[in-house]
Amino acid sequence: GAGVSQSPSNKVTEKGKDVELRCDPISGHTALYWYRQSLGQGLEFLIYFQGNSAPDKSGLPSDRFSAERTGGSVSTLTIQRTQQEDSAVYLCASSKGRGADGYTFGSGTRLTVV
Amino acid sequence: AQTVTQSQPEMSVQEAETVTLSCTYDTSESDYYLFWYKQPPSRQMILVIRQEAYKQQNATENRFSVNFQKAAKSFSLKISDSQLGDAAMYFCAYRRAGGTSYGKLTFGQGTILTVHP
């Protein structure tokens, strides 16, 4: 596509429910990144993919968080048993190769856990 | 670990004037990349300018330029002829050039820029 597409744009969920956030990168971009933005913590790296592999998942905050990427394209970030502290904007980005030219970000998913 | 610090939570500028946003970083690496991103209310992070650490020449993109001081680990952004559309949150970011964690952008806390007509 023309840009990085994220869905849903906004998600309200009840505490304890599972949620899936989707990211559709720019066609041909081999690398894909997930970040979390919250008032208290700023912008935090979560995980990145090169192709379907995740060389660095060091930013995932707990084992309730997981992500996968299939076909070198769409990625899904799953949060199980959501907690109120998971409320944040989840940003996805993609890049050609190793991203030395910078990353293209989507508009994010605002997750609110009530 | 690398850290990025933006010491100015908020800045303001008059339309058509010049403003400089500050950024310092800490790293033991010699090769890396630095970026400035703009985030308007739409939430989408937009790349403003990038700098490769091994290049001494400061990057320039139209009205945006940087002052890169490698020894001082300083990377400031200068916006000339400010426009109302420049109003946004600006983030400074660092990325290693290699290694398995190259995908990780480390961001500063951000600076909110207000442009007055």
Side-chain angles (χ1 to χ4, degrees):
Chain A
V4 177
S5 178
Q6 290 189 247
S7 60
S9 180
N10 293 282
K11 174 74 176 178
V12 179
T13 190
E14 292 181 353
K15 179 181 172 182
K17 300 277 190 185
D18 297 353
V19 294
E20 286 189 352
L21 311 181
R22 176 188 168 105
C23 174
D24 201 344
I26 291 173
S27 178
H29 279 194
T30 56
L32 184 147
Y33 315 83
W34 283 100
Y35 286 80
R36 177 167 75 172
Q37 185 174 24
S38 58
L39 280 176
Q41 301 298 322
L43 276 154
E44 303 172 274
F45 167 82
L46 297 178
I47 186 171
Y48 85 89
F49 291 89
Q50 187 60 256
N52 293 333
S53 300
D56 188 352
K57 14 176 120 170
S58 64
L60 294 177
S62 74
D63 59 9
R64 296 186 296 104
F65 287 72
S66 63
E68 65 174 11
R69 188 181 185 195
T70 54
S73 180
V74 172
S75 175
T76 303
L77 177 69
T78 301
I79 308 173
Q80 296 179 311
R81 305 181 301 282
T82 51
Q83 303 295 312
Q84 287 188 327
E85 61 262 29
D86 299 335
S87 295
V89 174
Y90 290 82
L91 293 166
C92 176
S94 68
S95 72
K96 296 179 186 177
R98 293 163 68 91
D101 292 335
Y103 308 159
T104 302
F105 283 82
S107 296
T109 294
R110 180 178 296 282
L111 175 67
T112 303
V113 182
V114 298
Chain B
Q2 293 84 17
T3 58
V4 178
T5 302
Q6 292 178 249
S7 59
Q8 305 155 317
E10 296 182 35
M11 290 285 284
S12 65
V13 64
Q14 291 293 131
E15 198 175 4
E17 298 290 305
T18 296
V19 65
T20 298
L21 309 184
S22 300
C23 172
T24 58
Y25 57 95
D26 186 27
T27 183
S28 57
E29 305 282 330
S30 59
D31 197 13
Y32 48 86
Y33 299 93
L34 295 164
F35 305 89
W36 279 97
Y37 279 90
K38 167 185 176 181
Q39 187 179 40
S42 66
R43 295 199 306 239
Q44 186 177 16
M45 303 276 282
I46 301 164
L47 178 64
V48 174
I49 199 165
R50 65 183 281 276
Q51 176 79 42
E52 298 170 53
Y54 66 86
K55 288 189 176 178
Q56 293 188 340
Q57 186 173 5
N58 289 324
T60 300
E61 288 286 343
N62 300 314
R63 297 181 296 107
F64 300 88
S65 61
V66 298
N67 183 3
F68 173 49
Q69 301 289 328
K70 190 172 184 180
K73 296 179 182 174
S74 170
F75 183 60
S76 61
L77 174 70
K78 184 170 86 171
I79 306 174
S80 303
D81 185 25
S82 297
Q83 300 176 359
L84 295 177
D86 295 334
M89 175 84 93
Y90 285 80
F91 290 95
C92 177
Y94 165 99
R95 203 210 87 174
R96 293 179 65 185
T100 55
S101 64
Y102 72 80
K104 179 179 176 179
L105 274 175
T106 300
F107 287 90
Q109 305 92 319
T111 297
I112 299 172
L113 177 66
T114 302
V115 181
H116 298 289

